Amino acid sequence: MSKKILLVSRHAPYGSSTAREAIDVALAAAIYDQDIGILFMDDGVFQLLKDHQGKYINQKNIDSMLSALALYGIEKIYVHQESLDNRTITTNELILDDLQLLNSIDVGHLLSQQDQLLSF
Amino acid sequence: MSKKILLVSRHAPYGSSTAREAIDVALAAAIYDQDIGILFMDDGVFQLLKDHQGKYINQKNIDSMLSALALYGIEKIYVHQESLDNRTITTNELILDDLQLLNSIDVGHLLSQQDQLLSF
Amino acid sequence: MDHASIMIFSLAIYSAPYSSQASYTAYQFAVALLSQGHSLHRVFFYQDGVHNATNLAAPPQDEFDLQKAWQQLAKDYQLDLVVCIAAALRRGILNEGEAKRYDKASHNCAEEFTISGLGQLVEAAAVSDKLISFGY
Amino acid sequence: MDHASIMIFSLAIYSAPYSSQASYTAYQFAVALLSQGHSLHRVFFYQDGVHNATNLAAPPQDEFDLQKAWQQLAKDYQLDLVVCIAAALRRGILNEGEAKRYDKASHNCAEEFTISGLGQLVEAAAVSDKLISFGY
Amino acid sequence: MSTLHTINKSPYAHNALSSCLKVCAMNDGILLLEDGVFGALISAPGAQELQILIKHGANVFALVNDIKARGLEEKVAPDIKLIDYNTFVQLTLDHRCVQSWY
Amino acid sequence: MSTLHTINKSPYAHNALSSCLKVCAMNDGILLLEDGVFGALISAPGAQELQILIKHGANVFALVNDIKARGLEEKVAPDIKLIDYNTFVQLTLDHRCVQSWY
C-alpha cells in the first residue's frame, strides 16, 4: 500500500510553526516506510539556510531538524531554483548537499507525478 | 481620559475572523465613549462592498455590521483611495456614504495624529 | 452511483475553526463527498486544526457551531476524526487519558475525536485514493 | 530611570502561542519594559491570542512554555492579564464561572487570567501612554 | 495526469496565487476559494496570467458560495467557472492530486 | 510627531511591508521583526524603497534576535540597524504611535 508522496513546504521558518510541523510529518512518513519526497519552494527555502540560531527566540533549530531527513532515509529532497534566485541564496549557503534543483516547469511535472501531495 | 484612537482594518472579510473582530472593537470603543475613527485599507476595503451574502458560508454579513458604525456614533470613517483603485472598486459600490477618501500621504498624516492605533 | 466509482477520501485540516474559514470549507467538502456516496476514511486535525476538537466552545446561538457540526457528522457517518497528539498537547487539547498522564485538572477533547500520532496522517495518505489538505 | 520617564504600557495580543511567534515577541517586549521600570497596565488577549490563557497545554519539556511564562510574569509583577470573553467563548477558553453558565463539564483558563469584555481593551487604550498590537 | 491547485488567499495580500501560476501546467485546474476568490476579479494580480492559462486550455474555477458571500457575483472575470461543493469533490476526482496553496 | 511601523511578515509572501511603504513618512521609523526580518535582505521586495527612505532620514530597524535565529546576520542590507527588545521598547517611546502591519 506504499504510495508516492510529496510534501510541499512553502513557509518561512520560526515566524509560524508550519515549517516545523511539516518536517515532523516528513519524518513520520519515513518512519512508516512510505516513499516520501520533500519540495522546498517560496519562503520554504529559508529553512535550508545554514547557521540558524533558534536559541535567540527560544526555539529549536529548524536546520538541524532538516539534517535528520537523511538519517530517516529521505533522499528525494527538491528545491525550486527560482525561489533561491529570488532570495539571492546560493547552494553553498544551504545546510543540505544532496538537493535536486528544479525549475518551475519541473516542479509542475513533479507535482503531477505523485500519488498524494501534502501541502504545507 | 478620552483619547484620539484610530482602528486600522486591513484584512479581507470572511476568510479570517480579523475583519469581524476588528468591527467589534470599534463598536466597543464607541460604547465606551472614546473618540474613535476607523480606516479601511488594503483588502480591508472589500468589507465595504455591497451585497454580501454571508449566509452562503454560514456567516453573518460584515456589511450590515458596518452599517451599525453610524448608529454607534462613529463618524470618522476613512478609506484609502489607492486600495479601492487597485481593486477597481468605485465609491458607489460601497455600503457606506459618509466616507472620507484619503491618498497615501494623507493616511500617513492620519496615523501620525492619533493618540493610539489599534492595528487589525 | 455504481460501486466502482466510490472513492476513498481523507482530509487533513490545519487551521482553527472560526478564526479561519478553512475548517468550514473542509466540513462542507466532507458533507458533499459523503452525500455523493464516497467513503471518508479519516479526518486528521493538525497544527491549529486541533481546536476543532474542543468541547468547551460556546459560540453565540445565532452562529454556526462548527465543533458541534463535526461531532454530529461523526455520529451520522461513524467518522474517524483524529487529532495529532503532539500538536494537541502544545495547544491545550487533551482527552481524559492525556490529562491524567500530564497531571492536568481537566480535559476538553470531544469524545467523537481520537487523539493519536502523525502515523495516522501517513496511513490515511497511504490507503486513501485522495488526500485533500485544508490550510490556513 | 527617573520617575518622570516612567511610561504606562498596554499590550494587545491577537495570535496563538506556538503557532505564531507574535505572542513570544509580546512576552519579550513585556519583560523588557518591566525590567526598564515602566508600568504594564494590562495585557489584553483577543482573537487567537486567547489561547495564551489555557492551562491545559503540555509542550515537550525541552521547549519554551509560553503559557507558563505568562503565568509566572503575572505573579512576579501582579499583571492584569485579560482575555476577551467573546473571543474566548468561541474558541473554547473558559473559566469556572463561564463553564457553569454554559453548562460545560470543565474549564481551562489559567487562574492568572481574567475573562472580561472588549471594554477592557478600550480602557487600556484610554489610560495607557502606549498601546502596542501584536498580530498574527 | 494533471494537478488541481486550490488557492485560499487573496492575491492582493499573499503570494499563493502567483506561486501557483509559476508551476501550473496547461492541463491543470485552478480552484479559487475562501479569500482566494478575490483572485477572480478582472483586475486582480495574476488575472492576466489566469486568462492566458484559460485560453491555452486550463480550467479555472471559483467556489460560488465564497463569491456570493463576498458580494462579488457581478465582478468575476470571464471564463472563470462558478462551482459548488459537490463539483469541488468531482474536481478532486478529475485530477490526480490536489496541491493547496495557502 | 512620527509613527513607528512594525512588520512581522515576509515581504516575499505578504503585502505588509509594501503597504507600509506606501504611507510611511520620511521621519517615521520601521521595525522588521519575526518573519518580517526577511525584508532586511538586500534583494528583498521593497529593499530599494527602504534604502531610499533611509537616505531621506527614516530609520529602519530589525530585531537582532530574529535575524540571528534565521541565520541572516551576514545578509542584512546596509544601514538597517539591528536592535534588541530593550531598544524596541525605547523606539515605542521615541514615536507617538505604533502601527503593526501583519
Side-chain angles (χ1 to χ4, degrees), chain C residues 16-19 48 51 54-60 63 67-68 89-94 102 104-108 136, chain D residues 16-19 48 51 54-60 63 67 89-94 102 104-108 136:
Chain C
Y18 189 72
S19 305
D48 281 349
H51 291 299
T54 183
N55 60 17
L56 295 185
E63 289 183 12
Q67 282 101 341
K68 198 158 281 178
L89 288 174
R90 289 188 173 95
R91 290 169 176 84
I93 300 290
L94 301 176
Y102 291 95
K104 300 288 183 182
S106 62
H107 47 93
N108 59 352
Y136 180 59
Chain D
Y18 189 71
S19 305
D48 282 349
H51 292 299
T54 183
N55 61 17
L56 295 186
E63 289 184 11
Q67 282 101 341
L89 287 175
R90 288 188 173 94
R91 290 170 176 83
I93 299 291
L94 301 175
Y102 291 95
K104 300 288 184 182
S106 62
H107 46 94
N108 59 351
Y136 180 58

Side-chain angles (χ1 to χ4, degrees), chain D residues 21-95:
Chain D
Q21 199 196 333
S23 298
Y24 176 80
T25 303
Y27 171 80
Q28 291 294 352
F29 188 90
V31 169
L33 77 89
L34 291 165
S35 76
Q36 293 176 33
H38 296 299
S39 164
L40 182 50
H41 173 67
R42 181 169 296 136
V43 185
F44 191 83
F45 297 90
Y46 190 46
Q47 300 192 279
D48 282 349
V50 301
H51 292 299
N52 282 279
T54 183
N55 61 17
L56 295 186
Q61 294 205 335
D62 59 347
E63 289 184 11
F64 184 70
D65 187 339
L66 185 52
Q67 282 101 341
K68 198 159 280 179
W70 281 120
Q71 296 167 29
Q72 188 59 49
L73 199 68
K75 281 178 192 148
D76 293 347
Y77 290 91
Q78 290 81 51
L79 296 185
D80 190 26
L81 306 183
V82 178
V83 176
C84 171
I85 185 165
L89 287 175
R90 288 188 173 94
R91 290 170 176 83
I93 299 291
L94 301 175
N95 62 15

Side-chain angles (χ1 to χ4, degrees), chain E residues 4-95:
Chain E
L4 177 67
H5 305 269
T6 69
I7 289 106
N8 76 344
K9 290 286 177 296
S10 163
Y12 295 92
H14 291 75
N15 74 339
L17 177 59
S18 75
S19 293
C20 167
L21 289 171
K22 280 178 193 156
V23 306
C24 183
M26 290 301 174
N27 58 340
D28 283 354
I30 295 179
L31 170 60
L32 309 173
L33 73 166
E34 300 164 23
D35 284 347
V37 298
F38 293 113
L41 300 188
I42 293 173
S43 61
Q48 285 190 322
E49 291 91 329
L50 279 179
Q51 290 298 322
I52 292 167
L53 275 172
I54 289 170
K55 284 203 176 63
H56 284 82
N59 286 301
V60 180
F61 308 91
L63 261 185
V64 66
N65 295 53
D66 286 318
I67 291 281
K68 285 184 175 171
R70 290 161 181 79
L72 304 179
E73 250 183 313
E74 307 295 320
K75 300 170 78 75
V76 176
D79 300 321
I80 292 181
K81 296 165 190 159
L82 301 189
I83 64 159
D84 60 13
Y85 294 106
N86 278 318
T87 308
F88 181 7
V89 172
Q90 186 58 46
L91 287 181
T92 66
L93 301 179
D94 296 343
H95 296 79

